[in-house]
Amino acid sequence: MVASKIPATVITGFLGAGKTTLIRHMLANAKGKRIALIINEFGDLGVDGDVLKGCGDEVCSEDDIVELTNGCICCTVADDFIPTMEKLLARKDRPDHIVIETSGLALPQPLVAAFNWPGIKTQVTVDGVVTVVDSAAVAAGRFAHDHDKLDAQRLADEGLDHESPLEELFEDQLTAADLIILNKADLVSAADLEGVRAGIAGHLSRKPIFVEARQGEVAPEVLLGLGIGTEDDIANRKSHHELHHADGHEHDHDEFESFVVSLGPVRDIAAFTDGLKTLIVAHDILRLKGFADINGKPMRMVLQAVGSRIDTHFDRPWAGGETRETRLVVIGLHDIDETAIRESLTALAV
């Protein structure tokens, strides 16, 4: 690593793995290191950016947070990411470290390769790629690495009788990793966690570092300062996407769809979350997250759902003059029934 270069850490991971929670913990324990964040939110609602702007820590002011909401970062490198980096590097108060949170749908490889762009390569180096894994989801077989298991699932479920793009995305994020965080380790047994570790390691030609974590609690000293220079090793981390392009195909995310639902105040938290679990299962929603206005509560509630598992917490008081509302972004496959979901969510909030 060249000493004069600003180190940049790419944090990737599948939907709901806990990337934002990991970053919040990192900011709270940064010990004065000034960190700039670039956040690539999938969908129309920059939930993660809004959550992180509430960190209230001097190491990362609102001016240090940049959101890229124009689509998947791997598809908008030249039009979106490069200009953002150039503006960040042109600032007089340059950061000590840059952290990039990709969306759950982004491929890390094109992003890492972008650090070889003229004008960027001489000033920034990829300190490392960190992939966050939802250990509980993997242990349950939701994102299987074992082809035999995947074939068995396909036989049992007509929805899996084709090659899953979600599976490919997950594998590509692991292939790119220098550090793999086995997050939510407290939700699985020691034996299951070891099975997750062995399953992932067994399908990787490279040997990344593995770290176990609960609720994204990983010391900044572990996340930052890897000193890998990953942009120089990108040729050894080829993705399904790149192999697909070799056949002349274009990459898109048409298999995914997202939309934002705005609602009024929620009267009963327990009834609302129970209703969401039923809704998620009924419509096979991949991800649901956002904020809720709870009747009688002075603080905003953050809601994150992966499968039927829902986590909530109150992050900050509603600001004076701020519109109190419930806003949720829903992510699913292309045939998701948006009308039915909107109607069901509206009924749950009353």
Side-chain angles (χ1 to χ4, degrees):
M1 179 185 296
V2 179
S4 61
K5 292 185 179 181
I6 299 174
T9 297
V10 176
I11 298 181
T12 187
F14 213 79
L15 304 171
K19 300 185 297 294
T20 302
T21 304
L22 182 85
I23 293 173
R24 285 191 65 128
H25 182 270
M26 177 193 68
L27 294 177
N29 296 276
K31 299 178 181 178
K33 182 189 290 288
R34 184 161 188 185
I35 297 172
L37 296 177
I38 297 177
I39 304 166
N40 179 216
E41 180 64 41
F42 179 80
D44 301 317
L45 175 61
V47 172
D48 290 348
D50 206 355
V51 169
L52 290 168
K53 286 174 183 176
C55 66
D57 199 299
E58 68 278 3
V59 302
C60 182
S61 68
E62 289 197 19
D63 291 337
D64 293 322
I65 298 177
V66 180
E67 291 182 81
L68 305 181
T69 58
N70 294 328
C72 174
I73 197 170
C74 67
C75 301
T76 60
V77 165
D79 297 332
D80 206 357
F81 174 68
I82 295 298
T84 297
M85 286 292 293
E86 290 173 341
K87 289 180 182 179
L88 187 62
L89 295 172
R91 289 171 44 171
K92 293 181 179 179
D93 53 342
R94 287 164 45 125
D96 300 319
H97 204 109
I98 299 170
V99 172
I100 303 158
E101 181 195 3
T102 73
S103 81
L105 303 177
L107 296 165
Q109 287 85 347
L111 175 59
V112 173
F115 283 86
N116 288 309
W117 190 275
I120 303 264
K121 185 174 179 60
T122 57
Q123 300 185 68
V124 185
T125 184
V126 181
D127 185 62
V129 176
V130 177
T131 298
V132 186
V133 173
D134 184 336
S135 300
V138 176
R142 185 163 177 81
F143 310 117
H145 290 281
D146 190 309
H147 285 192
D148 291 337
K149 286 185 178 180
L150 183 57
D151 287 339
Q153 288 176 340
R154 286 172 176 166
L155 290 173
D157 187 343
E158 292 183 0
L160 291 175
D161 63 358
H162 58 279
E163 189 171 47
S164 169
L166 301 180
E167 179 77 10
E168 290 186 3
L169 284 168
F170 186 56
E171 290 177 355
D172 289 340
Q173 290 168 357
L174 294 171
T175 298
D178 297 297
L179 172 65
I180 295 177
I181 306 295
L182 299 179
N183 198 27
K184 306 182 184 179
D186 52 316
L187 301 181
V188 298
S189 68
D192 284 344
L193 187 62
E194 183 55 35
V196 171
R197 182 198 302 266
I200 292 174
H203 284 78
L204 298 177
S205 57
R206 297 170 46 257
K207 303 298 180 185
I209 302 167
F210 284 84
V211 173
E212 298 173 11
R214 59 176 63 193
Q215 297 181 345
E217 295 179 357
V218 178
E221 294 82 0
V222 175
L223 293 173
L224 312 179
L226 296 174
I228 303 294
T230 313
E231 70 274 17
D232 294 327
D233 188 52
I234 192 61
N236 295 319
R237 312 183 188 207
K238 288 192 179 298
S239 66
H240 289 279
H241 170 68
E242 291 168 301
L243 296 174
H244 197 56
H245 267 225
D247 295 329
H249 295 286
E250 290 299 319
H251 168 63
D252 59 53
H253 289 312
D254 289 345
E255 60 268 67
F256 303 105
E257 185 173 322
S258 73
F259 55 90
V260 178
V261 181
S262 296
L263 307 168
V266 173
R267 296 184 180 181
D268 186 327
I269 297 177
F272 185 64
T273 54
D274 284 345
L276 288 179
K277 291 178 182 179
T278 301
L279 179 66
I280 288 168
V281 172
H283 292 278
D284 198 21
I285 295 172
L286 298 175
R287 188 80 161 91
L288 191 150
K289 57 183 177 178
F291 315 112
D293 173 21
I294 307 300
N295 261 351
K297 300 290 185 181
M299 299 184 72
R300 183 183 69 174
M301 188 181 80
V302 176
L303 184 148
Q304 305 268 3
V306 184
S308 60
R309 187 173 66 247
I310 299 177
D311 296 318
T312 63
H313 69 274
F314 291 95
D315 69 332
R316 64 168 175 79
W318 291 97
E322 180 180 10
T323 300
R324 293 182 58 139
E325 63 177 334
T326 299
R327 292 186 298 154
L328 301 173
V329 58
V330 179
I331 302 174
L333 296 178
H334 71 279
D335 56 353
I336 194 168
D337 191 339
E338 178 178 346
T339 300
I341 292 172
R342 284 185 178 277
E343 291 175 352
S344 297
L345 285 172
T346 300
L348 286 177
V350 296

